[in-house]
Amino acid sequence: MVKGAISLVAGLVLFHCWVAMAEAEHLRYKDSKQPLNTRIKDLIDRMTLEEKIGQMVQIERGVASAEVMNKYFIGSVLSGGGSVPKPKATAKDWVDMINEFQKGALSTRLGIPMIYGIDAVHGNNNVYNATIFPHNVGLGATRDPQLVKKIGEATALESRATGIPYVFAPSIAVCRDPRWGRCYESYSEDHKIVQAMTELIPGLQGDLPANWSNGVPYVVGNKKVAACAKHFVGDGGTTEGINEDNTVATRHELFSIHMQAYYNSITKVVLTIMVSYSSWNGEKMHSNRDLVTGFLKNTLHFRGFVISDWKGIDRITSPPHANYTFSIEAGVNAGIDMIMIPFNYTEFIDGLTLLVKKNVIPMSRIDDAVKRILRVKFVMGLFENPLADYSLADQIGSPEHRELAREAVRKSLVLLKNGENVDKPILPLPKKSSKILVAGSHADNLGYQCGGWTIQWQGQSGNNITTGTPILSAIKHAVDKETKVVYEENPSLDYVKFNDFSYAIVVVGETPYAETNGDSLNLTISGHGYETIDNVCSGVKCVVVLITGRPIVIQPYLEKIEGLVVAWLPGSEGSGVADVLFGDYGFTGKLPRTWFKTVDQLPMNVGDSHYDPLFPFGFGLTTEAYKATSEYLSLLNISFAIFGVFLGYLLLLHFFYFRCWHHIGIVICIFSMFGLFFSFNYYTY
């Protein structure tokens, strides 16, 4: 009896071990050696409807928790603009928060990791101390896709440093009207420049292997992030530039201008694409099945996932959320795979569940969405490495990234006017002067020079919003130590006239904004900007630096301005502006947008029949850097140094033997003196 009982227990143990081993063997989705499609199918086959719908849900971090992730099988979490763990949060604060959400996702029955997303549109711009790069309009002025790729690489590192593997960038909108509040998020009015700047994608995601299958998603390791091309499609072509409005265009116009960069993005295997709030000829893009499923997925063979914009499906109806059940049906059936809800997730989950059970939304559509989401998660390695660590914390605002941003600023500056004529340029400015004036609301304001989407969604004013170098500080550091720099935000004409300034630098422009808050029908400089230009430039020779996300009204003041520079929205590294103003580097930037004379001309883009710009697309004066001259002088000084050493020897020889009284000795002495002088000059340069 006892032996029989022991045998029975042993048999049961062996049986359970065999079952467990067999179960483990069949969990193919957890085996990284299995083919990608095998892993996806194995996991899909195990999932309930509830688990599938959970994967399609993206919620805001403010309503997320480990418990919510576990209970509703949430597939993704995001930070909205300005949504942070706490003010001035460190990399550790971010990693700890995100890992807490991730642990909730991993504690579910199938342990599917969530993916965390953020709007890193010019660096990891929600994060305190991160490097803030120039906004896209400035990068378009550089005409340098490889620079943009490097910015993508730096942004990926600074995002991963905070535990974030997914960024909503790049914006590949083609802004056709600067009255649009998101125009600074567009690289150019010319789709060819926008296409070239899709190099940000391999910067973010990594370069594809040489023989990689066309269209299959790919991310190079855990120092890269998933990118998101946005906003599909035509967001930059709305009537009068009204945000989220209607783009009136033929199919040919839509495809030849606004669709072009999506071809490049898909060729570079962008992992996700975000749908636009806007409409095309009256049809909301969030419900446009013909373009989202028919063209993007079926014709272009996009194999990543399609994500909605923030409350994007709500806006299918007017007013938004008026018929949410219809919005869910229209958005999901159009082909949207992941829904950025971002708050009322239970309403969405309940609504979608009911629509599937009633066969209003077919199960095949749900499976397509979930397969795409899982494909991205698998290729990113989230199943193998779901939790972030602190190993990349030193990448936040690193010196290398700040120097890259400074280079981007230098290359983005566009010189529109340089003196009255080519024979009398005002730029580059001399570093050594008795006293110079710096004026304007934007000269000493880091928040203004960074613009919107910086720490806060709408951006903000002040030098304490994050770390960086305001333009005023950069100017003070760049000039000679004997040069007195006086800052007066809005000086009177009398003040300017009676203070004997050598010259003035006026830094004015737009105050920060994002999206609809930036829509403008007048496109004017903010605050007392025009008054400052008038007062300063009437009293002393001046250079005006414009901090702006787009062309603005400047023609009435152009005659008074001796030097006019567009710095766009340069970001945290204001030293890049000073580098070029004072000639350490030359001006090389070219206008990525047409500069209008009056707003009545808008919309006006290169190639239009009524094209009559103040400054045409592609315009940009150039200057030579002092550096080139200095290098020449250094070579000259080296020659004199060598000559000086030789003549110095002769000097000593004649001093001891001829006492310099012989006429030949006198000549040698003189030349020796020059040689020693230039030798000293070289070594102290």
Side-chain angles (χ1 to χ4, degrees):
M1 288 285 293
V2 174
K3 287 183 179 180
I6 291 173
S7 298
L8 179 62
V9 170
L12 288 171
V13 169
L14 287 171
F15 175 76
H16 282 293
C17 286
W18 178 82
V19 170
M21 289 173 65
E23 178 68 16
E25 184 181 345
H26 288 293
L27 291 177
R28 292 185 173 185
Y29 76 91
K30 289 191 175 182
D31 182 359
S32 61
K33 296 178 182 178
Q34 292 290 325
L36 176 60
N37 288 337
T38 299
R39 298 182 77 184
I40 294 171
K41 185 179 185 307
D42 183 63
L43 182 50
I44 282 276
D45 289 346
R46 297 173 187 276
M47 296 174 72
T48 64
L49 176 61
E50 188 179 13
E51 288 166 331
K52 290 176 180 178
I53 289 175
Q55 284 301 300
M56 298 172 67
V57 172
Q58 186 180 66
I59 63 175
E60 215 284 327
R61 56 157 291 281
V63 296
S65 67
E67 292 73 26
V68 168
M69 304 300 292
N70 175 279
K71 182 176 180 181
Y72 296 99
F73 311 102
I74 302 296
S76 183
V77 182
L78 85 151
S79 276
S83 180
V84 298
K86 65 181 184 182
K88 298 185 178 181
T90 64
K92 182 179 184 300
D93 295 326
W94 281 94
V95 168
D96 289 346
M97 176 193 71
I98 293 169
N99 279 348
E100 185 66 19
F101 299 151
Q102 189 68 280
K103 288 172 184 176
L106 297 175
S107 68
T108 56
R109 181 178 71 93
L110 295 171
I112 303 173
M114 67 91 187
I115 184 170
Y116 197 99
I118 199 166
D119 284 282
V121 296
H122 62 145
N124 196 2
N125 45 258
N126 266 20
V127 176
Y128 184 79
N129 199 40
T131 308
I132 307 299
F133 293 94
H135 268 298
N136 286 358
V137 65
L139 298 182
T142 70
R143 303 296 202 273
D144 192 341
Q146 290 308 305
L147 173 67
V148 169
K149 182 179 180 181
K150 290 177 184 177
I151 289 171
E153 292 168 352
T155 301
L157 283 170
E158 296 207 19
S159 298
R160 281 288 194 170
T162 52
I164 298 170
Y166 178 26
V167 303
F168 307 129
S171 167
I172 54 173
V174 183
C175 175
R176 302 291 285 177
D177 193 324
R179 291 174 290 186
W180 185 36
R182 303 192 80 152
C183 202
Y184 64 77
E185 297 183 55
S186 169
Y187 293 108
S188 178
E189 72 187 45
D190 182 357
H191 67 82
K192 294 186 183 69
I193 292 175
V194 179
Q195 288 176 266
M197 296 309 178
T198 57
E199 274 300 290
L200 188 81
I201 293 168
L204 293 168
Q205 297 187 170
D207 289 315
L208 295 171
N211 298 319
W212 193 251
S213 299
N214 188 33
V216 178
Y218 185 81
V219 173
V220 186
N222 59 6
K223 292 184 180 179
K224 297 294 183 179
V225 297
C228 179
K230 63 183 189 182
H231 304 86
F232 186 84
V233 60
D235 51 339
T238 59
T239 302
E240 295 185 339
I242 298 171
N243 192 42
E244 303 183 20
D245 207 56
N246 190 33
T247 295
V248 178
T250 65
R251 193 174 184 91
H252 173 73
E253 289 168 340
L254 184 77
F255 278 57
S256 62
I257 296 173
H258 300 284
M259 189 70 78
Q260 292 294 309
Y262 286 95
Y263 302 144
N264 301 80
S265 299
I266 292 170
T267 299
K268 292 169 182 175
V269 196
V270 67
L271 265 65
T272 74
I273 290 176
M274 186 182 292
V275 182
S276 176
Y277 286 130
S278 60
S279 304
W280 175 42
N281 295 335
E283 182 177 357
K284 291 282 188 180
M285 282 306 309
H286 272 76
S287 59
N288 193 318
R289 178 177 169 79
D290 173 51
L291 288 180
V292 176
T293 295
F295 188 75
L296 181 60
K297 291 184 175 181
N298 296 342
T299 302
L300 297 185
H301 304 293
F302 172 61
R303 298 181 66 180
F305 68 76
V306 177
I307 186 169
S308 81
D309 207 334
W310 178 279
K311 293 185 179 179
I313 65 168
D314 301 51
R315 288 163 162 81
I316 290 173
T317 61
S318 183
H321 207 81
N323 185 342
Y324 196 55
T325 301
F326 170 76
S327 292
I328 296 170
E329 175 191 345
V332 174
N333 274 339
I336 299 173
D337 304 310
M338 183 176 283
I339 313 299
M340 191 185 294
I341 293 173
F343 300 115
N344 298 324
Y345 53 90
T346 56
E347 181 185 17
F348 173 81
I349 291 169
D350 292 343
L352 181 55
T353 302
L354 185 62
L355 288 168
V356 174
K357 288 181 176 178
K358 288 184 174 181
N359 294 317
V360 176
I361 295 176
M363 195 66 200
S364 60
R365 172 74 272 272
I366 301 300
D367 285 346
D368 172 60
V370 177
K371 285 176 184 176
R372 290 169 175 275
I373 293 164
L374 294 178
R375 183 180 292 132
V376 168
K377 291 183 177 182
F378 276 125
V379 300
M380 291 186 69
L382 287 176
F383 280 81
E384 288 69 48
N385 297 291
L387 296 174
D389 58 37
Y390 312 130
S391 62
L392 295 175
D394 62 348
Q395 295 295 321
I396 300 291
S398 72
E400 295 79 10
H401 295 168
R402 292 191 182 277
E403 182 53 43
L404 177 64
R406 186 171 177 173
E407 177 189 355
V409 174
R410 291 194 293 261
K411 291 182 175 180
S412 70
L413 301 181
V414 180
L415 179 57
L416 297 181
K417 184 178 180 182
N418 192 14
E420 294 303 317
N421 55 63
V422 293
D423 297 323
K424 292 185 177 180
I426 188 172
L427 289 158
L429 295 166
K431 293 183 178 182
K432 192 165 187 176
S433 299
S434 58
K435 184 169 61 172
I436 65 174
L437 172 66
V438 179
S441 54
H442 289 55
D444 191 28
N445 197 310
L446 186 63
Y448 282 4
Q449 75 187 44
C450 289
W453 289 110
T454 308
I455 305 301
Q456 299 292 335
W457 174 40
Q458 293 293 325
Q460 60 188 108
S461 176
N463 286 335
N464 297 321
I465 65 162
T466 189
T467 54
T469 305
I471 293 170
L472 176 63
S473 299
I475 290 170
K476 288 179 176 178
H477 188 264
V479 298
D480 187 87
K481 62 182 180 181
E482 300 298 324
T483 300
K484 184 178 181 181
V485 178
V486 177
Y487 174 62
E488 190 72 27
E489 183 173 326
N490 186 25
S492 66
L493 177 58
D494 286 344
Y495 177 86
V496 175
K497 280 184 174 180
F498 297 113
N499 269 281
D500 196 25
F501 294 111
S502 302
Y503 59 83
I505 302 171
V506 179
V507 190
V508 292
E510 298 184 297
T511 51
Y513 55 82
E515 301 190 40
T516 303
N517 286 353
D519 286 356
S520 172
L521 294 177
N522 54 33
L523 296 178
T524 53
I525 291 174
S526 302
H528 299 286
Y530 291 118
E531 179 186 338
T532 304
I533 291 172
D534 199 26
N535 288 345
V536 174
C537 296
S538 296
V540 67
K541 61 181 180 179
C542 70
V543 172
V544 172
V545 179
L546 297 178
I547 305 298
T548 177
R550 53 199 167 184
I552 48 180
V553 173
I554 198 65
Q555 186 188 32
Y557 300 86
L558 192 57
E559 190 174 333
K560 290 185 178 181
I561 298 169
E562 289 205 38
L564 180 60
V565 177
V566 190
W568 311 110
L569 298 170
S572 58
E573 306 313 302
S575 295
V577 176
D579 286 342
V580 186
L581 288 181
F582 294 102
D584 292 329
Y585 295 82
F587 282 93
T588 59
K590 303 296 180 185
L591 283 180
R593 304 204 51 77
T594 297
W595 204 286
F596 57 84
K597 293 177 179 176
T598 69
V599 291
D600 296 335
Q601 295 174 295
L602 299 175
M604 179 177 64
N605 296 283
V606 63
D608 289 349
S609 58
H610 64 289
Y611 199 68
D612 181 28
L614 180 62
F615 299 105
F617 171 84
F619 180 82
L621 301 173
T622 58
T623 60
E624 293 295 324
Y626 283 146
K627 190 177 181 181
T629 306
S630 299
E631 287 170 355
Y632 169 76
L633 288 174
S634 294
L635 290 172
L636 189 65
N637 286 338
I638 289 170
S639 301
F640 273 111
I642 295 169
F643 189 50
V645 171
F646 173 70
L647 290 183
Y649 168 75
L650 292 180
L651 173 66
L652 291 173
L653 186 67
H654 277 268
F655 179 77
F656 285 109
Y657 289 95
F658 299 101
R659 301 297 179 184
C660 287
W661 56 266
H662 193 276
H663 64 278
I664 297 176
I666 293 170
V667 171
I668 291 175
C669 283
I670 292 170
F671 273 99
S672 298
M673 293 296 184
F674 275 111
L676 289 172
F677 170 76
F678 282 112
S679 177
F680 175 77
N681 184 43
Y682 168 71
Y683 284 111
T684 57
Y685 180 72

